[in-house]
Amino acid sequence: MTGVEIFAGITAVAAIASTGITMYSANEQSRSQAAIAEYNRIQNEQNAAWQRMAAERAAQADQFNSEMAMFNAQSQADQANMNNVLVQQQAQQLRAQADGEDRQAREQADRIRAEKARILGLQRSQYAAGGVTTEGSPLAVLADTANLYEMQIADTRLLANLSSEKKRYEAGMNELVGDFNLSSDLFASAMNKKAAQISFNDAQFAEKAAGAGYRINMRQAAIEQMSGNATARATAMGGYSALASGIGSVANTGMTAYGSSASKSTAKQYDGYVSNNGNLVGYRRATIA
């Protein structure tokens, strides 16, 4: 075996070993990359699931709070209507009391007139029984008596009117304040209900968005895994390429060694040789190794 053949053999063994190591490393790296891609997918899916659960729970809590706010707004409106009904009832009661006082005043005035007529009749009968005419002083007495009763009637009506008008005024003011409070409460209730409805709609959107985000994250996790798997396959293919290159290198080394061995059997009769300074100075007969 010639030195060239030995060298070629060593070179081939080294190439095979290097190729094997390269392919093994590429294969292990490919497996590692695929495992990392799988691990990342699992982690991304878990994160997506947790994010969806947290977002959906928060959205559901917001929906519940919004529903409670709408319920409270409706209760506010109901309470406002109830309060207004009570105000109207109180106003009606005050007006009824005023009407009752007016009626009592009229009845009292009628009683006073009846009493006046009775007293004046009694005075006249007494004057007549005593033989006194109703002229002069007796007439003045009768007139004074009548005036006193008329003033009594007027004062009775005045007191009754003052009291009844006061109650009617209170009834009107209560209705005015009640209407204002009703309008304010109903407006506030409507605004609160509208705000609660907006919050409820936002919460529903957030819940739907959480589902959409979850699906997006799941697809992204799958895309990232496919990308990692593609990298792993590329690494594995690099190992196979190294194997093919190694095989080609071994084959090339073998062919080189074979060609060198074959050329020795058909070598030329003379080989050129050079001097110490590198210039060709002559030929010598070739020797067979």
Side-chain angles (χ1 to χ4, degrees):
M1 180 179 293
T2 65
V4 174
E5 292 174 342
I6 294 174
F7 176 76
I10 294 173
T11 302
V13 171
I16 292 172
S18 176
T19 301
I21 292 172
T22 300
M23 184 175 180
Y24 175 79
S25 298
N27 187 49
E28 290 300 312
Q29 185 178 2
S30 174
R31 290 182 179 179
S32 177
Q33 289 171 341
I36 291 173
E38 176 66 14
Y39 174 80
N40 290 337
R41 179 190 64 80
I42 294 173
Q43 290 297 314
N44 290 335
E45 289 181 350
Q46 289 178 349
N47 292 335
W50 279 109
Q51 290 174 0
R52 178 184 184 180
M53 182 176 64
E56 287 181 344
R57 286 183 177 179
Q60 290 167 1
D62 290 341
Q63 289 181 42
F64 175 78
N65 292 334
S66 299
E67 289 175 343
M68 291 300 300
M70 285 188 285
F71 174 80
N72 291 335
Q74 185 60 46
S75 298
Q76 182 182 12
D78 295 340
Q79 185 64 41
N81 288 320
M82 185 179 297
N83 291 339
N84 187 64
V85 170
L86 293 176
V87 169
Q88 296 296 331
Q89 291 177 349
Q90 291 174 355
Q92 291 175 0
Q93 290 176 357
L94 287 173
R95 288 193 176 91
Q97 291 175 6
D99 293 341
E101 289 179 354
D102 288 342
R103 185 173 57 256
Q104 290 176 359
R106 289 192 300 269
E107 293 173 354
Q108 181 67 17
D110 292 340
R111 287 193 294 269
I112 292 174
R113 288 191 185 94
E115 180 66 13
K116 181 188 75 170
R118 187 184 69 79
I119 293 299
L120 289 175
L122 179 60
Q123 287 178 341
R124 289 190 185 95
S125 64
Q126 289 176 346
Y127 287 141
V132 179
T133 62
T134 56
E135 298 176 355
S137 295
L139 181 61
V141 172
L142 291 174
D144 289 340
T145 301
N147 288 334
L148 288 174
Y149 276 103
E150 288 300 324
M151 287 188 289
Q152 187 72 4
I153 292 171
D155 288 340
T156 300
R157 283 181 174 178
L158 177 62
L159 291 176
N161 287 337
L162 289 175
S163 179
S164 62
E165 289 302 319
K166 179 176 180 295
K167 287 182 171 57
R168 291 188 179 93
Y169 176 79
E170 290 178 356
M173 289 301 298
N174 288 344
E175 287 179 336
L176 181 63
V177 174
D179 291 341
F180 175 79
N181 291 337
L182 176 63
S183 299
S184 299
D185 292 341
L186 290 178
F187 177 78
S189 172
M191 292 297 98
N192 293 337
K193 189 173 183 179
K194 186 66 175 177
Q197 184 64 54
I198 292 174
S199 297
F200 181 80
N201 294 339
D202 290 342
Q204 281 189 325
F205 173 80
E207 185 176 11
K208 293 178 181 178
Y214 170 76
R215 292 189 293 272
I216 291 172
N217 291 334
M218 292 294 287
R219 285 192 292 269
Q220 184 63 32
I223 290 171
E224 291 180 2
Q225 184 186 25
M226 287 188 290
S227 177
N229 289 337
T231 301
R233 286 192 295 271
T235 301
M237 290 302 296
Y240 291 122
S241 297
L243 175 62
S245 176
I247 292 173
S249 177
V250 171
N252 183 58
T253 301
M255 292 299 295
T256 300
Y258 174 78
S260 176
S261 177
S263 64
K264 290 183 178 181
S265 62
T266 59
K268 297 183 295 180
Q269 293 296 321
Y270 295 93
D271 292 332
Y273 64 93
V274 295
S275 65
N276 290 335
N277 59 5
N279 295 321
L280 181 64
V281 297
Y283 293 90
R284 66 183 177 187
R285 185 178 295 276
T287 59
I288 305 300

